Every structure is written in structure tokens, then in C-alpha cells.
Amino acid sequence: MSVVDFLWRFPSVQMAWRNLGRNKLRTMLAALGIIIGVVSICSLGMATAAIQQQATSQLGSIGNEVSITSGQDSDTDGVTDDQVDTIRNLVTDAEVVPQKTNSTTISSRNGREVRVSVTGVTNAAALYNLTSGEAPSRLLSGALLSNSTATTLGIEEGDPVEYDGQLYRVQGLIEEENAFGFGGGELVLPESGLSDQNHYNTVTVVAEDSATAIEIGGELDQYFNTEDEEELSINTFGNAGQVGGFLETLSLALLAIGGISLVVASVAILNVMLMSTVERRGEIGVLRAVGIRRSEVLRMILTEAALMGTLGGLVGATLSLAAGLVIFQMITGDPLGALQWSSAQYLVYGFGFAVVASVLSGIYPAWKAANDRPVDALRG
């Protein structure tokens, strides 16, 4: 069925479409307000969905870990060997991985330099996934390098890198999301490479799942710390629900900000409908005089508002989808994530909000025009 056939089947829709075309500029400006409001709501919502997806992905890789560092009341500037032994005795069902950290600058043959963090560890397999090579459970020689750093410097597996005057051959490249520090450049060496440091900067406990990690964190905190003294700072990443709650609150806040744009657009529609009914007061009076019922007048003007909201909502949702593809590409690297329901739902919300807001804005002008006496309308 063509648009023309549809309009002829519904006279009120036909008249509403014709009336909107009488003043195209005013109609377009009102529709533009709707489009801006829809794009605001949908784009902000989809951006939040992309951030939440990326945060969930990153937290998922460390959700089963407990990170232990020196506490604020500790007598040392790190975790001691004795404390590591105690942790291993307490934690029998998880992997305990002590680490020493530093930083350095790696140079390539063409003179380009990159600043990276340095981690000294023995059981690299417990903490890292590699895009190339294999992470050993006992790293005694060689090195691992983050993939982004290797790409920047043109370093490949088997090439040497220098740290503290000693050369290490790269045995593997670390996946970006698994690099310690969430994607920062990192060089992983045997623990002996940082032997000049007396204490460990961090001890990571890798549990089977997040629930076990939270339980282990509680046991360690109870053993090492009291209400008045913190010997070790113990942090778990398993409680991702708090992050999810924060992101949901952020999403609601952003949607409220976008909703303000649609409220402003609704006021513009109200103004357009009022001006339109005033300009057509005589025409509406003729319609009423020849027997057109109030309900028909009411339906005609509400249909105008609904058509304006539908057109603006469709255009806004289309533009928002394009923006969502770009947003997901920038944040997650996967533009098709914008088509998932967790993100695409905001397109539905934005479109529905546009139609509902437009119809609500048309109620008063429609009621006013429908209840105007035909004699007064003709005289006006």
C-alpha cells in the first residue's frame, strides 16, 4: 500500500498531512527539535551501554583476583617474603603470584622510545594471556611485551629488549586487555630481573571465581588487619555489581539530560500546534458548521502532532544508530555491538518518547480547537 492510498483510507491522517505541509519551514523546525532530542537520548544511552560493555569485559578478566599491597600502617614499603609465605599458607585453593614493579624506557632500532611499566614475576601464566608465544608458569629467562608496545616499536617475538643494562629476548606478546594496568605498555621479566628490590610491590591471588576471590579477600583482611591498623591493603575486583549499579545510575542521569532536549522540543510542538489552530480557526469553524464532530477535529490535530513526532523520531533514531556504530567502534572496537538489545533498546525508547511527547503536546491545542463554538470560530 502506498502512502497516498493509506492517507485516502484515513481522512483525518490525510488532512493532518496536508496541514503540516502548509508551513513547511515551521514544521521542519519543530521536527528538528524532536530529532535533536531523540539523538541526545539515544546517543547518550548507547554510549553508556558501550562503556558498560567495555568495563564488564575488562573487569571480567580480573574479577577472580585479589590484589594485596602494603598497608598504610605497615613498617615496610612493600609486601615481605614472610608475608607472602603466610598468604600461601592461608590460601591453599588459589594461585599466589607475588610481583615486583618498576618502569623503564624501551628503544627501537630506529631510535623511537616508549615508556612502559616493568613487572618481575615467576608465574606469568597465571596473570597473562598472549597473542603470540606462550606465557610460562616459571619465567626464568626472556621477557613478555605488551602487543601495542611491540607494534609501536616494530619488535617481534625473538627480538631483544634491554632493562637495567641486561638484554632479554621477547618470548611472547601480551593481549592488550590483559596487560597489567588495563592496556598500558608493559614489560614482564623474570623476578630475578628486579632483584635489587627487597620487597614485592603487589601480590595477586588468582581464585577460581569471583565469589571465591571475595571470600579469600575477607579471610586475609581478617588475619592481617584490625579496625585500628592496616598491615596489608587487600582489594577484590569480584564485586562488579557496584560498578554495574554505578553505570546504571550514570545511564539514567544521561537519559534525563537527553530527555530535557525532548521536553524543549515538546514545547516547540505545542507552540506550532497552537499557532496552526489559531491560523485555521475559520477553517475549523466551517468544518464544525457542516457537521464534522468534535472528535474528528480532535483526532485530526492529534494526528498532526503524532505524525510530527513519528517523522522526527524515525529520523532521530536513524541518525542515532549511525552515531551508535561510531561510538561502539571507538570504545569497544566492535561497531556491531550497537545492534545488540542492550544498546538498541535506546533507539526504541527515544522513538517512543518522541511520539508520546508529541501527542501530549498536541492535546491542549486539539482540545481548544475542538471545543471552540463554530459561530465564534467563523467570526474569528
Side-chain angles (χ1 to χ4, degrees):
M1 180 187 297
S2 66
V3 176
V4 175
D5 293 335
F6 177 81
L7 294 178
W8 278 108
R9 285 176 178 268
F10 300 94
S12 58
V13 177
Q14 179 189 5
M15 295 184 67
W17 184 264
R18 183 198 64 185
N19 292 332
L20 288 177
R22 283 182 168 182
N23 194 323
K24 293 183 176 61
L25 179 60
R26 189 167 61 195
T27 301
M28 289 175 59
L29 290 175
L32 180 62
I34 300 173
I35 293 172
I36 293 174
V38 172
V39 171
S40 298
I41 286 182
C42 296
S43 298
L44 292 173
M46 295 176 82
T48 305
I51 294 172
Q52 187 165 9
Q53 179 178 319
Q54 183 70 359
T56 302
S57 174
Q58 289 187 339
L59 286 175
S61 63
I62 61 171
N64 62 332
E65 295 181 3
V66 181
S67 178
I68 305 169
T69 57
S70 178
Q72 59 182 0
D73 299 315
S74 175
D75 297 330
T76 61
D77 57 355
V79 182
T80 66
D81 291 322
D82 292 338
Q83 289 173 329
V84 172
D85 292 337
T86 302
I87 293 172
R88 285 199 170 106
N89 292 332
L90 292 172
V91 180
T92 57
D93 56 348
E95 195 73 40
V96 178
V97 186
Q99 303 142 73
K100 296 179 180 180
T101 59
N102 204 340
S103 62
T104 189
T105 300
I106 300 179
S107 303
S108 63
R109 294 175 181 175
N110 60 10
R112 192 167 185 178
E113 297 182 344
V114 173
R115 189 73 177 175
V116 297
S117 61
V118 180
T119 301
V121 64
T122 299
N123 188 1
L127 298 180
Y128 300 99
N129 294 326
L130 305 186
T131 60
S132 174
E134 184 177 352
S137 57
R138 290 184 61 82
L139 182 62
L140 302 178
S141 63
L144 305 177
L145 185 63
S146 58
N147 191 49
S148 62
T149 304
T151 302
T152 301
L153 297 178
I155 296 176
E156 299 179 353
E157 191 175 345
D159 290 345
V161 292
E162 182 179 353
Y163 173 73
D164 198 23
Q166 185 173 349
L167 292 178
Y168 299 86
R169 290 201 175 274
V170 176
Q171 295 184 355
L173 302 179
I174 305 170
E175 282 186 9
E176 204 62 27
E177 62 269 24
N178 293 105
F180 206 74
F182 299 99
E186 183 175 12
L187 175 66
V188 180
L189 301 176
E191 188 179 310
S192 59
L194 285 78
S195 57
D196 57 329
Q197 298 180 208
N198 296 324
H199 304 304
Y200 296 101
N201 298 90
T202 306
V203 176
T204 301
V205 179
V206 183
E208 183 178 355
D209 50 43
S210 60
T212 305
I214 294 174
E215 183 180 348
I216 291 173
E219 292 176 359
L220 293 176
D221 184 66
Q222 185 177 5
Y223 182 87
F224 286 103
N225 303 322
T226 64
E227 293 183 0
D228 301 323
E229 185 175 345
E230 184 186 58
E231 183 179 351
L232 293 178
S233 176
I234 300 170
N235 300 297
T236 59
F237 304 98
N239 194 7
Q242 294 180 352
V243 177
F246 167 75
L247 290 175
E248 288 179 2
T249 302
L250 176 63
S251 175
L252 291 175
L254 293 177
L255 288 177
I257 294 173
I260 294 175
S261 301
L262 266 183
V263 172
V264 174
S266 300
V267 175
I269 294 173
L270 174 62
N271 182 51
V272 168
M273 292 292 100
L274 280 174
M275 294 179 64
S276 178
T277 54
V278 169
E279 291 175 354
R280 291 154 41 208
R281 190 181 182 196
E283 176 186 334
I284 294 173
V286 172
L287 293 175
R288 295 280 288 112
V290 298
I292 298 296
R293 296 189 300 271
R294 291 179 179 177
S295 60
E296 288 293 332
V297 176
L298 188 70
R299 186 182 303 116
M300 178 184 66
I301 297 177
L302 286 178
T303 302
E304 291 182 31
L307 280 175
M308 194 178 301
T310 301
L311 292 175
L314 286 174
V315 175
T318 303
L319 294 176
S320 298
L321 177 58
L325 294 173
V326 175
I327 290 171
F328 268 81
Q329 175 63 36
M330 294 176 61
I331 296 178
T332 68
D334 179 19
L336 297 182
L339 302 180
Q340 298 178 2
W341 174 246
S342 59
S343 173
Q345 62 179 331
Y346 294 104
L347 300 176
V348 179
Y349 296 158
F351 175 78
F353 195 3
V355 175
V356 171
S358 300
V359 172
L360 291 178
S361 300
I363 289 178
Y364 174 69
W367 176 85
K368 187 174 184 301
N371 286 277
D372 201 4
R373 294 176 57 196
V375 175
D376 295 335
L378 289 171
R379 185 184 300 117

